[in-house]
């Protein structure tokens, strides 16, 4: 136990605890009643299960009551475990942030979400949660994002970043990747409170050890506060036989303890003493307790002791992250408490009526407010005023140019062009460039960020000595200071996109827009996709760059060759995908992506880049300013006609990214065979798909790009080509209902030279020519 150091500036401690106890009981009731209403009261004509988690809410009620109604400040942010969302809505209702009628809409269309959502719930929700591990780690990245914003654009304030998570959530590797990242050890505002109820969805976890968890956190530099027993048990430990009781509880396995919670007092008197040396002194001790005291003592854990929780908050060390391991009972206060299968169980009508009686609520008027003259109601009103945040004044991001006005020449890669685009932005639009923050998982130099890093430096809360600054052979200058604009994390892609999501949400949290860019190897984008898409769902806007990509990365072998990533733009809501073929297209797409960030009507983007050197003259960028702007608009919108055959084409070759040179070479070969071929350079399959849907009235996206890239008077059989799965572009045949042969990669790659690898996958020039001849029925 931590020492009792808490005092209240508002009232005496006992009066405070009494008021908190009344609120605790009301939060327990409201969360249970909200779930009951969704499942048993609201009409459900489909008969489908609605669901909810009364037991998961109950184990968090004491923690959430002490936080919101005593500890939090308006600057603090809290991430609430997914299954406790009804408890969060109950808290917000008591604070006047949610009307009673909203509590009847849990899990209904347009109503309260199943899990906390920043963007969909009507009441204050600091972090969207729902995918295990992501909500737990989000406050870490929120803390880092706040520090970054405060250091460059003051106004983000201070405040702790809390995560309320279940102990089973610590099974997620993402939690430990975040806990041990070198950037995290100095984030003293981060506080995790673990609801240590020792249950998962299906069972009591047999071997969960708080001591082992504590050791892992401590090894990462975290402060660990353990709340195991409450005041009643602590007092019993001081009595004769008390040490035997402590020993018995400390050595008891989780399943045996949980079984005690389901026992009658008579069964407890038989089971609790056990069979060892503790039996006799324990029998004498519990003989001094009446049935109610014995029943209460067994479940008197630290995570439900209001005073112990207040003391723990007062003991937090703000110089390093803190974890509070709070022992709790899943379903505490409900008839289902401690049952191994109580995760989704619902109270019966009789059990709910009993809960109403015990909590001072009314079954027939479940949303009846607390008595206006009660200490609990006064505390709720007082805390509502203290926690209310002023409206955020949002700053409009500085304008991002659309074109730097130069045309790249020679031979180059799209990955190199990306690095140059960042440097050109710093010269052409310094105000916009000042909002850019890049993030990478230890791959900065290998993804062509070296020039950008040398110019802007690496972000660190404090300035650090660069011991290689005077080394003549050092090309990448690693200057770490609070003004740097690059954040380097360890090799964990989930950490990168977690931070990316929070950096991309600063426009809505504190009104300060950033232009966050994350760079990782494209083969690992799928590893990071779930937390990144959850960040997008929560309102985080960012640019994710996957490079290098595809089987074009031939020497790296099949393990480092991405296949499925090109279709992300088709499948990911809130995200636009571009895969440019040329340096000029890359510049235009990067600028278009940055212009989407940091605004209410904005969105995220994904760029898939390549390390294949390409002759930039193949881009045939128009010299005339008007024609150049037309090409730019088409490239940003999804596609442009790169080459038009004389007369009516016999076939159209639609190619994307690194494969465009093969399409152009195939068009030349076909011409020599008397087959006229148009070549269309596809830059965004997602935007083209939306345009085809809009043409059918299924989307509201602009359609003009289809008319310019695939004009009806040039409709012909299609060969689509990309370094990725062929289904990505297969839909293009629906633009004019023409036959289509999609070429791409459908199996694991091989190491080798490009011509060998392309031939192996059937995406080389020969394969394109054969496919075109087959479509045109040439002999």
């Amino acid at each position: 136990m931590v020492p009792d150091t808490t005092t209240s500036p508002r009232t005496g401690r006992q009066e405070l605890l009494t008021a908190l106890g009344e609120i605790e009981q009301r939060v327990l009731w409201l969360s249970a009643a909200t779930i009951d209403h969704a499942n048993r009261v609201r009409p459900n004509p489909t008969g489908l299960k609605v669901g909810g988690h009364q037991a998961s809410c109950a184990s968090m009620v004491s923690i959430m009551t002490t936080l919101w109604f005593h500890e939090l400040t308006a600057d603090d942010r809290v991430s609430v475990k997914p299954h406790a969302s009804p408890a969060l809505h109950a808290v917000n209702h008591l604070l006047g942030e949610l009307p009673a009628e909203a509590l009847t809409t849990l899990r209904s269309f347009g109503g309260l979400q199943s899990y906390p959502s920043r963007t969909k719930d009507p009441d204050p929700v600091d972090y969207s949660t729902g995918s295990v591990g992501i909500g737990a780690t989000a406050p870490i990245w929120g803390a880092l994002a706040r520090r970054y914003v405060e250091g460059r654009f003051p106004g983000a304030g201070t405040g702790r970043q809390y995560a309320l998570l279940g102990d089973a959530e610590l099974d997620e590797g993402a939690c430990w990747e975040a806990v041990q990242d070198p950037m995290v050890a100095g984030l003293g505002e981060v506080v995790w409170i673990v609801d240590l109820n020792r249950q998962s969805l299906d069972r009591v976890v047999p071997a969960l050890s708080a001591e082992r968890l504590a050791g892992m956190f401590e090894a990462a530099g975290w402060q660990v506060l353990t709340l195991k027993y409450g005041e009643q048990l602590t007092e019993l430990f001081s009595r004769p036989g008390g040490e035997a009781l402590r020993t018995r509880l400390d050595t008891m396995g989780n399943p045996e303890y949980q079984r005690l919670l389901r026992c009658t007092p008579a069964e407890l008197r038989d089971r609790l003493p056990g069979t060892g040396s503790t039996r006799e002194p324990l029998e004498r001790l519990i003989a001094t307790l009446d049935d109610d005291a014995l029943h209460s003592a067994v479940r008197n854990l630290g995570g439900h002791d209001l005073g112990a929780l207040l003391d723990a908050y007062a003991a937090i060390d703000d110089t390093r992250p803190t974890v509070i391991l709070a022992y709790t009972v899943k379903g505490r206060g409900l008839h289902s408490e401690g049952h191994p299968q109580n995760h989704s169980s619902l109270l019966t009508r009789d059990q709910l009526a009993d809960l109403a009686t015990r909590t001072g609520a009314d079954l027939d008027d479940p949303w009846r407010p607390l008595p206006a003259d009660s200490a609990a109601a006064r505390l709720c009103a007082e805390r509502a005023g203290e926690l209310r945040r002023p409206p955020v004044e949002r700053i409009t991001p500085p304008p991002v140019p659309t074109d730097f006005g130069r045309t790249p020449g020679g031979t180059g890669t799209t990955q190199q062009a990306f690095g140059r685009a960042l440097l050109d932005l710093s010269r052409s639009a310094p105000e916009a460039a000042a909002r850019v923050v890049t993030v990478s998982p230890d791959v900065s130099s290998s993804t062509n960020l070296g020039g950008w890093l040398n110019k802007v430096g690496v972000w660190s809360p404090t300035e650090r000595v660069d011991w290689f600054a005077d080394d003549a052979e050092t090309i990448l200058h690693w200057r770490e200071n609070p003004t740097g604009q690059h954040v380097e994390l360890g090799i964990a892609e989930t950490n990168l996109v977690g931070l990316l999501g929070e950096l991309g949400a600063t426009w809505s949290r504190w009104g300060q827009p950033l232009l966050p860019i994350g760079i990782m190897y494209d083969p690992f984008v799928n590893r990071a996709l779930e937390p990144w898409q959850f960040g997008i769902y929560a309102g985080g806007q960012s640019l994710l760059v996957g490079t290098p990509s595809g089987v074009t990365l031939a020497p790296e072998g099949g393990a480092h060759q991405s296949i499925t990533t090109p279709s992300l733009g088709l499948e990911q809501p809130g995200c636009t995908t571009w895969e440019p073929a040329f340096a000029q297209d890359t510049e235009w797409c990067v600028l278009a992506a940055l212009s989407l960030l940091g605004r209410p009507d904005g969105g995220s983007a994904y760029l898939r880049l390549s390390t294949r050197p390409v002759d930039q003259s193949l881009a045939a960028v128009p010299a005339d300013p008007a024609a150049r702007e037309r090409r730019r608009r088409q490239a940003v919108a999804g596609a442009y006609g790169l080459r038009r055959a004389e007369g009516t084409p016999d076939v159209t070759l639609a190619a994307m990214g690194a494969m465009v040179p093969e399409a152009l070479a195939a068009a030349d070969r076909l011409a020599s065979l008397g087959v006229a071929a148009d070549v269309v350079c596809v830059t965004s399959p997602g935007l083209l798909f939306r345009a085809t849907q809009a043409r059918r009235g299924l989307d509201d996206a602009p359609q003009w790009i289809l008319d310019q890239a695939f004009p009806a008077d040039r409709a012909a059989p299609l060969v689509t080509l990309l370094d990725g799965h062929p289904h990505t572009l297969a839909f293009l045949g629906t633009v004019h209902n023409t036959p289509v042969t999609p070429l791409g990669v459908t199996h694991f790659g091989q190491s080798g030279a490009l011509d060998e690898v392309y031939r192996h996958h059937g995406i080389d020039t020969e394969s394109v020519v054969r496919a075109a001849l087959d479509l045109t029925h040439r002999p």
Side-chain angles (χ1 to χ4, degrees):
M1 295 287 292
V2 295
D4 180 358
T5 56
T6 300
T7 57
S8 170
R10 292 180 291 274
T11 183
R13 181 177 174 89
Q14 189 52 53
E15 287 80 2
L16 170 64
L17 293 177
T18 300
L20 288 173
E22 293 178 27
I23 295 172
E24 174 190 37
Q25 292 301 296
R26 186 52 59 98
V27 173
L28 176 64
W29 164 255
L30 288 173
S31 60
T34 297
I35 296 168
D36 182 78
H37 189 280
N39 285 273
R40 292 209 173 95
V41 180
R42 192 171 64 227
N44 181 14
T46 67
L48 293 175
K49 174 186 175 182
V50 176
H53 303 87
Q54 291 174 330
S56 294
C57 289
S59 62
M60 289 293 299
V61 163
S62 307
I63 293 169
M64 295 177 69
T65 298
T66 51
L67 267 182
W68 267 270
F69 296 95
H70 181 270
E71 188 64 22
L72 295 181
T73 71
D75 283 339
D76 296 336
R77 299 290 190 273
V78 187
S79 171
V80 177
K81 74 174 188 178
H83 292 159
S85 66
L88 175 60
H89 297 311
V91 166
N92 281 334
H93 168 65
L94 292 175
L95 291 171
E97 298 284 359
L98 193 68
E101 55 267 23
L103 296 177
T104 67
T105 68
L106 179 70
R107 299 191 173 206
S108 66
F109 184 78
L112 298 177
Q113 298 301 294
S114 305
Y115 310 123
S117 173
R118 286 190 73 225
T119 55
K120 294 181 179 294
D121 277 319
D123 52 332
V125 175
D126 293 330
Y127 290 98
S128 295
T129 61
S131 187
V132 175
I134 295 174
T137 58
I140 290 178
W141 314 123
L144 204 155
R146 187 205 61 77
R147 287 198 182 198
Y148 184 92
V149 169
E150 182 63 22
R152 300 186 67 84
F153 312 104
T158 57
R160 288 174 177 165
Q161 300 277 342
Y162 291 88
L164 310 184
L165 61 153
D167 48 12
E169 197 163 3
L170 292 174
D171 290 347
E172 272 292 331
C175 291
W176 299 107
E177 287 182 345
V179 164
Q180 61 80 44
D181 191 276
M183 292 293 292
V184 174
L187 298 177
E189 63 267 47
V190 171
V191 180
W192 281 15
I193 305 177
V194 180
D195 172 13
L196 203 72
N197 59 52
R198 294 171 280 185
Q199 282 187 238
S200 61
L201 189 150
D202 294 324
R203 61 174 183 160
V204 177
V205 181
L208 178 66
S209 168
E211 291 76 14
R212 178 175 58 85
L213 293 175
M216 294 167 69
F217 278 105
E218 287 171 347
W222 287 51
Q223 177 193 25
V224 178
L225 302 174
T226 300
L227 298 182
K228 190 168 187 178
Y229 301 120
E231 181 180 354
Q232 183 182 3
L233 273 176
T234 302
E235 192 278 326
L236 285 177
F237 295 155
S238 67
R239 297 186 188 182
E243 279 304 312
L245 176 60
R246 182 192 290 272
T247 300
R248 172 79 169 114
L249 292 175
D250 282 345
T251 57
M252 184 181 295
N254 296 334
E256 183 182 5
Y257 172 76
Q258 296 285 110
R259 183 63 185 89
L260 294 180
L261 300 175
R262 310 293 301 167
C263 290
T264 64
E267 292 172 327
L268 271 177
R269 295 182 189 279
D270 178 57
R271 287 175 178 257
L272 181 56
T275 58
S277 61
T278 60
R279 184 170 183 85
E280 185 177 339
L282 271 180
E283 285 180 330
R284 290 196 300 268
L285 175 61
I286 64 177
T288 67
L289 305 176
D290 61 28
D291 285 351
D292 288 342
L294 179 59
H295 178 274
S296 174
V298 169
R299 48 196 32 83
N300 180 228
L301 300 182
H304 299 300
D305 189 298
L306 303 179
L309 285 164
L310 297 184
D311 293 343
Y313 304 149
I316 291 173
D317 176 4
D318 286 320
T319 66
R320 55 181 174 147
T322 295
V323 60
I324 299 174
L325 301 175
Y327 280 74
T328 61
V329 173
K330 192 165 184 175
R332 177 113 176 344
L334 307 180
H335 283 263
S336 61
E337 67 178 1
H339 193 281
Q341 282 83 53
N342 66 5
H343 184 76
S344 298
S345 65
L346 296 172
L347 299 179
T348 67
R349 189 68 176 173
D350 288 343
Q351 290 169 346
L352 194 70
D354 178 67
L355 179 65
T357 300
R358 288 188 288 109
T359 59
D362 186 340
L363 183 64
D364 297 322
D365 186 11
W367 323 120
R368 185 184 68 188
L370 291 164
D373 60 347
S374 67
R378 290 195 298 271
L379 180 57
C380 288
E382 183 179 347
R383 291 298 290 157
E386 294 171 349
L387 294 176
R388 192 156 293 127
R389 297 167 185 160
V392 174
E393 182 180 351
R394 293 174 180 168
I395 295 174
T396 302
V400 176
T402 58
D403 191 344
F404 293 133
R406 61 175 180 80
T407 304
T411 299
T413 73
T414 54
Q415 179 177 288
Q416 292 169 340
F418 167 70
R420 284 197 299 269
L422 291 182
L423 290 174
D424 287 342
L425 183 69
S426 66
R427 289 187 284 264
S428 301
E431 289 188 4
R435 299 273 172 175
V436 171
V437 51
T438 55
V439 187
S440 72
D442 199 35
V443 293
S444 303
S445 56
S446 57
T447 54
N448 285 89
L449 277 184
W452 168 256
L453 261 67
N454 286 343
K455 182 173 183 61
V456 303
V458 178
W459 182 83
S460 173
T462 58
E463 187 157 0
R464 298 176 181 172
V465 176
D466 180 7
W467 294 104
F468 288 86
D470 58 350
D471 187 332
E473 296 184 6
T474 298
I475 299 175
L476 184 64
H477 301 295
W478 206 257
R479 296 179 290 106
E480 297 180 87
N481 56 64
T483 63
Q485 290 180 243
H486 175 78
V487 182
E488 188 87 359
L489 298 176
I491 304 177
E493 285 77 12
T494 55
N495 286 351
L496 178 142
V497 295
L499 175 57
L500 208 57
E502 291 307 318
L503 290 169
T506 60
W507 67 274
S508 59
R509 288 197 192 282
W510 301 293
Q512 290 289 354
L514 297 177
L515 309 181
I517 304 173
I519 304 96
M520 68 174 64
Y521 288 171
D522 195 67
F524 307 134
V525 165
N526 281 330
R527 180 188 298 175
L529 185 57
E530 187 211 0
W532 187 54
Q533 69 182 6
F534 208 83
I536 294 174
Y537 168 78
Q541 299 171 0
S542 61
L543 168 57
L544 182 62
V545 179
T547 181
S549 63
V551 299
T552 297
L553 191 59
E556 294 283 346
H560 281 77
Q561 297 173 2
S562 52
I563 295 174
T564 61
T565 51
S567 63
L568 289 181
L570 292 168
E571 301 155 1
Q572 177 57 54
C575 171
T576 302
T577 295
W578 283 285
E579 185 171 345
F582 303 105
Q584 185 63 75
D585 298 348
T586 303
E587 172 194 302
W588 289 335
C589 292
V590 167
L591 295 176
L594 293 178
S595 70
L596 297 175
L597 306 180
R599 57 183 70 248
D601 60 344
S604 293
Y606 161 60
L607 256 68
R608 189 175 190 253
L609 304 181
S610 173
T611 50
R612 183 187 185 185
V614 173
D615 179 2
Q616 297 302 307
S617 67
L618 296 176
V621 179
D624 180 82
R628 178 187 176 97
E629 173 59 14
R630 181 173 182 267
R631 165 71 70 84
R632 185 199 68 80
R633 291 181 68 248
Q634 292 173 339
V636 168
Y640 57 87
L642 181 56
R643 183 181 295 181
R644 300 297 192 196
E646 293 186 12
T648 303
D650 299 305
V651 67
T652 297
L653 310 180
M656 186 166 73
M659 305 313 302
V660 169
E662 273 61 37
L664 291 170
D668 291 337
R669 290 270 298 276
L670 289 168
S672 69
L673 298 172
V675 178
D678 280 357
V679 178
V680 175
C681 181
V682 174
T683 54
S684 176
L687 291 176
L688 294 183
F689 181 74
R690 288 196 61 193
T692 61
Q693 292 290 86
R695 179 173 284 182
R696 294 169 176 80
L698 302 175
D699 203 318
D700 59 357
Q703 307 172 37
W704 63 266
I705 187 58
L706 298 178
D707 297 326
Q708 294 193 9
F710 301 95
D713 61 352
R714 300 190 69 82
L718 269 167
V719 177
T720 63
L721 178 67
L722 75 154
D723 185 358
H725 201 284
H727 84 278
T728 306
L729 298 179
F731 73 91
L732 289 176
T734 67
V735 174
H736 295 299
N737 295 318
T738 56
V740 58
T741 297
L743 301 180
V745 181
T746 57
H747 50 279
F748 290 116
Q750 301 286 338
S751 297
L754 281 187
D755 57 344
E756 296 173 319
V757 173
Y758 287 173
R759 190 180 310 115
H760 172 72
H761 290 284
I763 56 176
D764 59 331
T765 300
E766 295 279 342
S767 298
V768 178
V769 171
R770 285 196 299 270
L773 292 175
D774 288 342
L775 278 174
T776 55
H777 305 291
R778 298 302 172 100

